[in-house]
Amino acid sequence: MLNREAEQMSHVIETHKLTKAFNSFRAVDALDITVEHREIFGLLGPNGAGKTTTISMLCTILRPTFGSAKVNGFDIVKEAHKVRKSIGIVFQDPSIDDRLTGRENLYMHANLYGVPASEQKERIAEILKLIELEDRADDLLRTYSGGMRRRLELGRGLIHYPKVLFLDEPTLGLDPQTRDHIWKYIRELKEAQDITVVLTTHYMDEADKLSDRIAIMDHGKIIVLDTPPSLKETLEGDVVMVKAANVEVLSELVGKWLGLEKKRVVDGVLEITVRNGKAVMPRIMELASQNNVYVESLLLREPNLEDVFLHYTGRTIREDSTRELYGMSAAQRRAIR
Amino acid sequence: MMTELRGLYTLWLREIKRFVRDRTRLISSFFQPLLWLVIFGVGFGARFTLPGLSYQQYLFPGIVGQTLLFTSLFMGISVIWDREFGFMKEILVSPVSRFSIFLGKMFGDSTDALMQGTIVFAFGLLLGIPVDPLTFFASLPIMLLITFGLVSLGLTIASFMGSLESFGAVQTFVNLPLFFLSGALFPLSGSGIPDWLRIASMFNPLTYGVDALRSVILGAAWVPLQPLYVNLAVVCVFDAVMIGVGTWAFTRMK
């Protein structure tokens, strides 16, 4: 009994059949997850998978239709106030006041979260150092770049020393260089502070590089949950990449004659997931030359998360064409400020 | 408790900082009362007099009230901006109660509206309307009481509106009737005022606010519609009701 209690205490987040329905549509469907102390937990999935809805419920912004969840040991419905005090949130969309300076935004947050007045100055200085915005702290936020604003939002979420930090698409609409920068901060943060991070993303590389464990989510459900290396290992094999003059024809051929079905075409390259890539490669070459398909190149690589996603959902995250538009509109919203 | 007060304070401070930094809004706010007092006041006053009072003197407290009305209701726009730019989310998910959030915003916007009202007093002096410092300081609490209810009304309307355009449209529907029916421009007592107009104006909280301002600013020269304590009581009840409604409106906001 005692043991069980102790075990439950160590879960920072615990959900039990957590469900959110909008009319008859179940955005989140009976979710059961646990997040451990000091881990970075990634929720990966295409748009509309239910990631943001899940986070919104955990942050007490949305009320679950059914089921329950505990964050830091507090019930998200009955003890919403305590949950709020113990978490930090970085929203998907910008949520700063651009008519105030960076420092003013931080002071405001400190006051809203009841940080004792005597500690505010010190904490804000510490955060500004962490996010490297000390020299711009007294400029109005409207003069900041998109990446600087994001950094400020990230730092703001930390001022009240939350136990859990929720990051909803932390690098959506940011350029690659800024994304690298933000990733660095998130990793440093986990090293430096006693904090657990839950992040949602639809960027494969982001989930891969940051998360200790990843839950792949689709249609409101967790399809698979594991560490990035184990997820890749479950594919049990290699990915053979074939660049050929007519990949569609080749794709049909390898399916028909070699029985290889785990394949997809990305940017004119046929990617086939197989058990033993070295043995399969000569067979593919053979098949291609017999059928007069000209092969430009043949490569073998380790499986990545994209392959994992394809394996479990039967489609690539890229097929979601609205995603790019969505990212662009977020980038625009950022730029308007 | 301390947390709530600090949250309230920080939201109040934010509204003031934003207002003071927005120069265009400050400058444009000078303009309308000036037009009313100079052009309308002088032109209309050429034909219109009250015993012992020039029309401009009569109009002055009315324009103070009108400025408070227009700016207070307009303050609701901050809710729409904050939602549009996402900042509202940061406030709404904080542990601060919705009541404190509403009060913080309301006090902040009221302070802004009060600054505008003070500017109108400065115009009054320039135009030769006799206002001594004592009158000014006596008017301040009345002005503040008027703004509380009206700002709350503006914030409530805005919390129901999805866009800037719809807020602007609804605002016109509220602004002008309240203004015209308040007795700001013409006396509501005396012969020639039909009953329907008199009765309609009795349901307008601003009528009592303007009447109270006239009692204080014009002194013995003005025969009030209601004694000062009745006027103030009505305004206070309106404030309390609107603060309640506004808090409810903020509570249901997502």
Side-chain angles (χ1 to χ4, degrees):
Chain A
M1 189 65 201
L2 263 174
N3 228 345
R4 243 182 95 196
E5 261 174 39
E7 195 188 350
Q8 279 180 341
M9 280 305 288
S10 69
H11 299 320
V12 172
I13 296 173
E14 216 183 320
T15 72
H16 181 67
K17 290 199 171 22
L18 191 67
T19 302
K20 181 72 194 180
F22 298 104
N23 298 321
S24 62
F25 170 67
R26 290 195 165 195
V28 175
D29 197 357
L31 203 69
D32 285 305
I33 49 169
T34 52
V35 176
E36 308 301 331
H37 183 57
R38 292 199 76 163
E39 75 171 334
I40 299 186
F41 185 88
L43 272 173
L44 175 72
N47 268 328
K51 294 168 294 171
T52 300
T53 310
T54 304
I55 281 213
S56 298
M57 284 192 282
L58 294 176
C59 296
T60 77
I61 298 166
L62 282 178
R63 255 182 108 100
T65 315
F66 182 77
S68 63
K70 278 187 174 178
V71 176
N72 292 317
F74 304 121
D75 187 281
I76 56 163
V77 176
K78 289 177 209 130
E79 296 166 296
H81 186 78
K82 286 180 180 160
V83 172
R84 284 179 182 209
K85 278 201 111 153
S86 69
I87 60 171
I89 314 166
V90 176
F91 298 104
Q92 188 167 328
D93 296 320
S95 64
I96 39 173
D97 189 338
D98 68 337
R99 311 258 168 159
L100 298 181
T101 67
R103 198 187 300 278
E104 283 170 341
N105 265 285
L106 297 179
Y107 266 109
M108 212 171 137
H109 185 88
N111 278 318
L112 286 173
Y113 281 78
V115 175
S118 55
E119 291 177 31
Q120 289 185 358
K121 200 177 166 193
E122 202 181 319
R123 282 201 205 181
I124 286 168
E126 175 194 325
I127 293 289
L128 283 169
K129 201 173 166 198
L130 176 78
I131 54 176
E132 292 177 49
L133 283 174
E134 289 155 299
D135 50 334
R136 295 294 305 273
D138 296 308
D139 295 342
L140 290 184
L141 266 154
R142 51 201 323 189
T143 65
Y144 281 33
S145 70
M148 287 163 71
R149 287 169 193 213
R150 206 62 183 148
R151 257 147 65 198
L152 190 88
E153 286 179 314
L154 203 62
R156 184 179 66 178
L158 297 168
I159 286 192
H160 55 289
Y161 293 156
K163 294 201 179 71
V164 188
L165 183 65
F166 290 94
L167 305 172
D168 195 1
E169 300 277 2
T171 63
L172 185 75
L174 296 179
D175 60 88
Q177 205 187 343
T178 314
R179 289 176 64 194
D180 275 337
H181 223 112
I182 300 271
W183 290 346
K184 194 186 93 180
Y185 288 118
I186 296 173
R187 273 193 299 258
E188 280 175 1
L189 192 73
K190 197 202 147 196
E191 297 303 315
Q193 312 220 8
D194 183 22
I195 201 167
T196 308
V197 178
V198 177
L199 82 111
T200 76
T201 184
H202 61 244
Y203 295 123
M204 294 291 172
D205 46 349
E206 183 161 286
D208 198 1
K209 282 190 180 132
L210 288 179
S211 317
D212 296 313
R213 285 193 304 150
I214 294 175
I216 294 184
M217 203 172 177
D218 202 14
H219 302 300
K221 287 186 167 151
I222 302 286
I223 295 165
V224 61
L225 196 166
D226 216 326
T227 61
S230 318
L231 281 175
K232 291 178 218 164
E233 272 169 31
T234 54
L235 291 190
E236 293 179 343
D238 314 307
V239 178
V240 179
M241 297 168 73
V242 194
K243 196 168 181 195
N246 198 337
V247 283
E248 300 295 341
V249 172
L250 189 63
S251 174
E252 265 181 50
L253 285 170
V254 297
K256 192 175 170 192
W257 298 103
L258 301 175
L260 303 174
E261 291 305 334
K262 283 186 201 165
K263 55 189 166 30
R264 60 175 168 157
V265 175
V266 182
D267 300 331
V269 177
L270 176 63
E271 297 190 359
I272 316 161
T273 309
V274 293
R275 281 229 173 174
N276 191 345
K278 281 181 184 149
V280 171
M281 279 162 84
R283 300 286 88 76
I284 295 174
M285 276 308 290
E286 215 171 33
L287 192 65
S289 62
Q290 278 166 6
N291 292 280
N292 293 322
V293 175
Y294 175 69
V295 174
E296 281 176 43
S297 66
L298 195 59
L299 267 175
L300 191 65
R301 67 162 169 83
E302 305 244 295
N304 59 27
L305 266 187
E306 197 104 27
D307 307 313
V308 176
F309 191 82
L310 173 76
H311 175 75
Y312 284 104
T313 65
R315 60 201 165 95
T316 65
I317 215 164
R318 290 194 191 187
E319 280 166 17
D320 191 359
S321 60
T322 56
R323 175 180 74 104
E324 292 308 322
L325 284 174
Y326 198 70
M328 272 163 64
S329 74
Q332 269 171 354
R333 262 175 283 159
R334 254 171 234 292
I336 291 167
R337 234 49 48 81
Chain B
M1 189 59 203
M2 261 325 275
T3 312
E4 294 288 318
L5 279 179
R6 247 204 317 266
L8 197 155
Y9 160 77
T10 203
L11 290 169
W12 171 80
L13 190 67
R14 168 175 180 254
E15 295 299 329
I16 299 195
K17 278 185 177 161
R18 282 179 67 100
F19 180 74
V20 174
R21 282 175 196 171
D22 193 351
R23 299 237 168 72
T24 43
R25 201 155 68 148
L26 264 176
I27 290 166
S28 72
S29 69
F30 288 16
F31 198 56
Q32 219 183 27
L34 201 65
L35 287 182
W36 280 106
L37 283 173
V38 174
I39 301 176
F40 190 83
V42 171
F44 209 66
R47 294 249 171 246
F48 188 88
T49 46
L50 284 156
L53 280 176
S54 76
Y55 180 66
Q56 230 178 13
Q57 275 177 307
Y58 170 83
L59 183 65
F60 175 68
I63 295 307
V64 173
Q66 182 257 4
T67 305
L68 296 178
L69 168 71
F70 279 34
T71 48
S72 294
L73 282 178
F74 182 76
M75 289 296 170
I77 211 161
S78 70
V79 173
I80 292 172
W81 277 125
D82 283 352
R83 261 210 307 239
E84 195 82 8
F85 288 104
F87 190 74
M88 195 52 116
K89 254 189 303 193
E90 152 81 353
I91 304 173
L92 292 185
V93 301
S94 75
V96 177
S97 74
R98 293 296 167 93
F99 180 57
S100 299
I101 292 175
F102 178 78
L103 280 189
K105 235 177 158 33
M106 193 274 277
F107 284 140
D109 290 343
S110 294
T111 311
D112 295 344
L114 192 67
M115 286 191 238
Q116 302 237 18
T118 307
I119 290 167
V120 181
F121 263 87
F123 287 147
L125 275 178
L126 286 178
L127 294 171
I129 291 158
V131 195
D132 58 88
L134 203 68
T135 313
F136 170 66
F137 286 113
S139 310
L140 276 182
I142 300 174
M143 286 159 67
L144 205 55
L145 282 178
I146 295 173
T147 60
F148 285 165
L150 294 174
V151 167
S152 300
L153 179 63
L155 292 175
T156 306
I157 294 172
S159 79
F160 283 97
M161 295 291 135
S163 71
L164 231 50
E165 292 79 8
S166 53
F167 177 70
V170 172
Q171 205 196 353
T172 316
F173 275 106
V174 181
N175 255 341
L176 292 179
L178 286 183
F179 175 38
F180 289 145
L181 286 173
S182 68
L185 297 176
F186 50 84
L188 293 164
S189 58
S191 58
I193 299 289
D195 280 344
W196 65 264
L197 187 57
R198 205 189 340 261
I199 291 164
S201 71
M202 280 167 61
F203 288 98
N204 179 1
L206 192 62
T207 307
Y208 303 90
V210 169
D211 198 40
L213 279 177
R214 284 214 172 98
S215 302
V216 172
I217 296 171
L218 303 176
W222 171 247
V223 184
L225 300 168
Q226 305 285 347
L228 187 60
Y229 70 88
V230 174
N231 282 330
L232 292 183
V234 173
V235 174
C236 284
V237 169
F238 175 66
D239 289 351
V241 171
M242 282 321 298
I243 288 171
V245 172
T247 305
W248 166 77
F250 266 48
T251 310
R252 55 174 283 291
M253 196 155 45
K254 289 262 163 61

